[in-house]
Amino acid sequence: MQPSDPFGLGRLRDSILGSWLTSPTRLREDTAAETDLVGVGYRDRLLTELVANAADAATAAGIIGSVRVWHDGRWLHIANTGAPVDSDGAAALTALRSSSKHGGGLIGRFGVGFTAVAAVTRHVEIRSRTGSFEFSAERTRAELAANGVVVEQVPTLRLAWPIDTPPIDGFDTEVVMEIDKSIDMAAMFDGFAAESVQLLLELESIDTITLPDNTFRRVREGDIISVGGASWRELVAPRARWLLPLREGRPVRVRRDVLRAPTRTDVELTVPAICVGDVQLTADRRGLHPDADIAVLAEGYAQIVAELPIDQRMGLVPAPGFAAGRDDERLREALIAELAGHAWVPGAEGDDLIASRAEVLPDLTAGLADLLGEVITTLVHPDLSGRGSLSTLRSVGVTEIGLAEVAERLTGLEREPRWWGDLYAELSVVAQGQVDELGALPVPLADGRTLPGARGTVLPPYRGDEDADVVAPSWLPTVHPAANHDLLERLGAQRITVGEMLSDPALRAEIDEDPADERLVRSVLGLLRAAPDVVVPTWLGQLQLPADDDDVRPADELLLPGSPLSAVLIDDSPFGIVSADLVEEFGQAAFRALGVGWDFTVLREEYPTGPDHDLPDEEQWWSTLDDPPQTLSAVRDLDLVDPDRWRRR
């Protein structure tokens, strides 16, 4: 009883056979064409092409399919779920370089890729729920011989005969082939195991491939895909899926791979992720079609990069280096152009920046980014500003800026002195050996001015009490205490002692001009509060201070409130009492250092030369001496003591 022929294979077979008998050249051409496809186009692609067919069958059926692979002796079985074979598919299998592919999302179901089976067998059966048939080189030779044509080499996949054998239970189609004895079955299945992982990554409509010793399943959790113990992060763009291998949960850059479209081609790539793209290929699915433009796969790449955490984005930028070929170079250039023209580079202020408009300051710290981010709005996030990232950032158009340009950008900026102090602290970390670039860095002064550069300024003394008022000499171009930092000293600012500040001729000139200037008084007292043990010049006593009678007097004509000396002086003594409120603010030590009296002052001088110490009756006493004394000791103001008050004391 003849098997049923639902696909009309008898008619197709008669047509093909008739063409061969009419034109022997046609037979030789078909034989050569199949040999070329097997030997060049579809070598080593057996499982890939059959699983790709299974993926198309699953897509056509609207399901996620599965594939099972096993062998029975030398017979290899590959079964799949999905749409069964139809008449168009059967006809396509008998025609070289033909496919019945229709509709989007199909890879090339039952097209020329099926020729891969001829690399391992001369006898293959296609068993499907809608009908089964076989190809056989032996039966083809016998058919030709019966028609008077005796040849040794014939195409295996041109003449098909219907058979009655159905597919295995649970599957819709099963391909069965007798493997040539020259093929190592164990090595073949080892290859299948490695290939299964890649196929499940590439073909979304197949999620399970079962081998005799292992079952590979694709498991998806969000954008994480796991197959066979390995994981990838999937990033989906309009024309390509990009897969990042994960190691301990973190992406790992792909160094070298091939284009998948969707299965592996021979187009080598050096892009940083596995690329599964939608692009037209040659008939053997190994190379790009002449009309194809691989650059279209870069569309939307910047957007998917922007979806990654900040510390993972640089890994998606093609690394500088030589391309693997013309197609790889074209794709790399397209990816770089896509990244350069779109926003994905994390900015210091938190927004994504367009790469070609972004600027990177090498070794930018988080603290410095917080300060500069609002000023230089195109500044790259500090996490991407390390030295190791610079060449990659430059490759996508990011501009590298230096400290000199930062200083220039800050010119004219109005900020509180504390802001500048924080800035100097952060810059000192970044500058290291590049301090000279900050020569024009703005510096706020205590008098409210801001100078372009630290050279020529004076640093105020350090304050032990952070709550104390500003301590800065008003007669010198002094850096505001809130902005005081060692970086400014490296940039040319002078750090002088309090004694040097109080001995400066500029101070004496200001005292001569206006000894009661409140700003001057407070500056001097503030410095003495910070350094009460400093030795000051005698002319500083001419600084006039507020007294308790609302008048002002030179400091050396004043006594401290409650001083022992004030309790024994006559009523009309020339001394006044300094303002108690001022003493409370700056402390007694500051006033005593300035020369405000507390107790009797003892004068002591070694080798005096004459009566020039402004002591009462000093000239008369000096005239009684035969020779100048070796040491002069005297107590001042004894002539102002009230005897009665002294006795009561």
Side-chain angles (χ1 to χ4, degrees):
M1 182 177 178
Q2 292 292 329
S4 62
D5 186 7
F7 304 131
L9 296 177
R11 176 180 51 79
L12 291 173
R13 189 170 63 252
D14 290 343
S15 175
I16 296 168
L17 184 59
S19 69
W20 287 350
L21 296 176
T22 302
S23 175
T25 301
R26 180 65 181 273
L27 172 60
R28 289 193 297 272
E29 290 175 347
D30 285 354
T31 302
E34 183 176 282
T35 301
D36 287 345
L37 287 172
V38 170
V40 179
Y42 288 92
R43 65 190 187 281
D44 305 325
R45 293 180 66 89
L46 175 63
L47 186 65
T48 293
E49 295 304 328
L50 294 183
V51 175
N53 285 345
D56 283 339
T59 298
I63 65 169
I64 300 298
S66 61
V67 174
R68 178 184 170 192
V69 183
W70 74 100
H71 68 92
D72 183 6
R74 302 296 302 180
W75 288 89
L76 176 65
H77 298 253
I78 301 179
N80 67 272
T81 58
V85 179
D86 57 18
S87 296
D88 289 342
L93 288 175
T94 66
L96 291 173
R97 297 187 176 91
S98 176
S99 173
S100 63
K101 178 178 178 179
H102 299 289
L106 299 181
I107 303 163
R109 180 171 177 249
F110 297 128
V112 293
F114 187 75
T115 309
V117 301
V120 297
T121 186
R122 305 296 283 171
H123 185 112
V124 57
E125 298 178 2
I126 294 89
R127 304 171 182 175
S128 192
R129 287 191 293 104
T130 51
S132 303
F133 53 96
E134 69 176 0
F135 293 100
S136 170
E138 183 179 347
R139 291 187 70 173
T140 299
R141 276 191 294 271
E143 192 77 30
L144 286 168
N147 286 275
V149 179
V150 179
V151 292
E152 181 60 30
Q153 285 193 322
V154 296
T156 300
L157 304 176
R158 287 291 273 145
L159 301 184
W161 289 266
I163 60 177
D164 288 330
T165 311
I168 188 174
D169 289 344
F171 292 86
D172 297 299
T173 301
E174 179 183 355
V175 178
V176 183
M177 63 202 84
E178 185 179 17
I179 303 301
D180 289 345
K181 293 181 180 179
S182 61
I183 304 296
D184 184 337
M185 294 288 285
M188 175 186 284
F189 272 84
D190 287 343
F192 286 173
E195 204 171 348
S196 295
V197 174
Q198 299 302 315
L199 289 169
L200 290 174
L201 277 181
E202 299 161 351
L203 303 172
E204 295 183 279
S205 55
I206 298 292
D207 68 357
T208 304
I209 298 177
T210 301
L211 300 179
D213 298 325
N214 204 346
T215 296
F216 296 93
R217 290 188 177 86
R218 183 181 62 246
V219 178
R220 178 185 292 276
E221 294 183 11
D223 60 358
I224 304 300
I225 295 174
S226 299
V227 182
S231 296
W232 295 259
R233 183 170 188 171
E234 180 187 55
L235 304 171
V236 181
R239 296 293 297 271
R241 296 164 52 230
W242 299 87
L243 298 166
L244 283 169
L246 300 178
R247 183 180 301 158
E248 296 181 354
R250 294 191 58 81
V252 179
R253 177 187 286 270
V254 174
R255 298 297 177 186
R256 204 174 189 92
D257 197 64
V258 295
L259 172 66
R260 325 290 181 98
T263 55
R264 295 171 67 88
T265 68
D266 286 347
V267 178
E268 291 191 71
L269 299 179
T270 58
V271 294
I274 296 171
C275 178
V276 185
D278 178 13
V279 64
Q280 189 177 1
L281 301 178
T282 53
D284 60 6
R285 303 194 60 76
R286 289 187 176 274
L288 286 178
H289 190 278
D291 295 334
D293 184 5
I294 196 172
V296 300
L297 302 182
E299 181 184 349
Y301 189 76
Q303 182 176 346
I304 64 174
V305 173
E307 295 172 359
L308 291 172
I310 289 176
D311 62 347
Q312 297 179 15
R313 297 185 190 181
M314 295 298 291
L316 266 292
V317 179
F322 294 107
R326 184 178 59 186
D327 294 327
D328 182 37
E329 183 176 14
R330 174 69 173 147
L331 179 57
R332 286 168 58 91
E333 289 175 349
L335 291 175
I336 292 296
E338 166 79 8
L339 290 171
H342 292 83
W344 65 273
V345 178
E349 287 289 273
D351 295 332
D352 285 341
L353 308 173
I354 296 175
S356 60
R357 302 177 188 174
E359 297 173 300
V360 58
L361 176 63
D363 299 324
L364 178 69
T365 63
L368 186 56
D370 288 341
L371 295 166
L372 292 180
E374 61 183 86
V375 181
I376 306 176
T377 58
T378 54
L379 202 59
V380 173
H381 194 282
D383 287 353
L384 274 68
S385 300
R387 297 282 171 174
S389 300
L390 296 184
S391 62
T392 303
L393 288 170
R394 286 195 294 264
S395 73
V396 292
V398 177
T399 301
E400 181 180 343
I401 62 174
L403 295 176
E405 186 161 354
V406 170
E408 182 180 348
R409 301 275 190 93
L410 295 173
T411 300
L413 183 68
E414 295 185 3
R415 290 291 187 276
E416 292 296 323
R418 171 59 64 191
W419 186 91
W420 290 104
D422 293 340
L423 178 70
Y424 302 150
E426 294 295 338
L427 284 173
S428 68
V429 176
V430 175
Q432 300 300 327
Q434 308 172 62
V435 173
D436 290 345
E437 292 190 30
L438 295 171
L441 188 65
V443 178
L445 301 185
D447 61 10
R449 294 178 297 153
T450 299
L451 296 185
R455 194 166 299 279
T457 63
V458 173
L459 294 171
Y462 288 113
R463 291 179 295 165
D465 180 5
E466 290 297 323
D467 294 328
D469 285 345
V470 170
V471 178
S474 60
W475 55 95
L476 294 173
T478 308
V479 175
H480 193 288
N484 187 8
H485 193 274
D486 289 342
L487 174 65
L488 298 180
E489 188 172 4
R490 296 162 63 190
L491 292 174
Q494 289 184 287
R495 189 175 295 284
I496 61 178
T497 65
V498 171
E500 291 172 317
M501 292 179 181
L502 294 175
S503 301
D504 194 278
L507 173 59
R508 186 168 192 175
E510 290 203 17
I511 292 177
D512 290 343
E513 181 178 347
D514 185 1
D517 184 346
E518 182 180 359
R519 177 178 57 89
L520 198 64
V521 168
R522 297 187 68 83
S523 292
V524 170
L525 290 174
L527 287 171
L528 289 172
R529 177 177 56 191
D533 296 328
V534 68
V535 176
V536 301
T538 56
W539 49 260
L540 199 57
Q542 297 304 306
L543 185 67
Q544 295 187 4
L545 307 179
D548 61 357
D549 59 0
D550 295 329
D551 197 3
V552 292
R553 295 192 185 190
D556 56 9
E557 295 181 10
L558 289 169
L559 300 176
L560 284 163
S563 64
L565 182 57
S566 64
V568 298
L569 295 181
I570 59 179
D571 291 334
D572 59 348
S573 75
F575 290 104
I577 304 298
V578 72
S579 168
D581 292 339
L582 204 60
V583 173
E584 183 178 357
E585 180 178 353
F586 289 97
Q588 287 188 357
F591 289 88
R592 295 183 68 173
L594 186 58
V596 175
W598 172 257
D599 206 342
F600 289 104
T601 301
V602 177
L603 171 67
R604 182 181 179 85
E605 182 179 349
E606 302 292 333
Y607 305 108
T609 59
D612 53 3
H613 302 90
D614 195 25
L615 296 171
D617 302 326
E618 183 180 8
E619 291 185 5
Q620 179 181 352
W621 174 79
W622 195 273
S623 65
T624 64
L625 301 177
D626 295 331
D627 296 305
Q630 183 174 351
T631 302
L632 172 65
S633 297
V635 179
R636 287 188 179 278
D637 303 322
L638 287 176
D639 58 318
L640 301 176
V641 173
D642 183 319
D644 293 334
R645 291 177 179 174
W646 177 262
R647 284 191 294 270
R648 288 197 298 272
R649 186 171 180 265

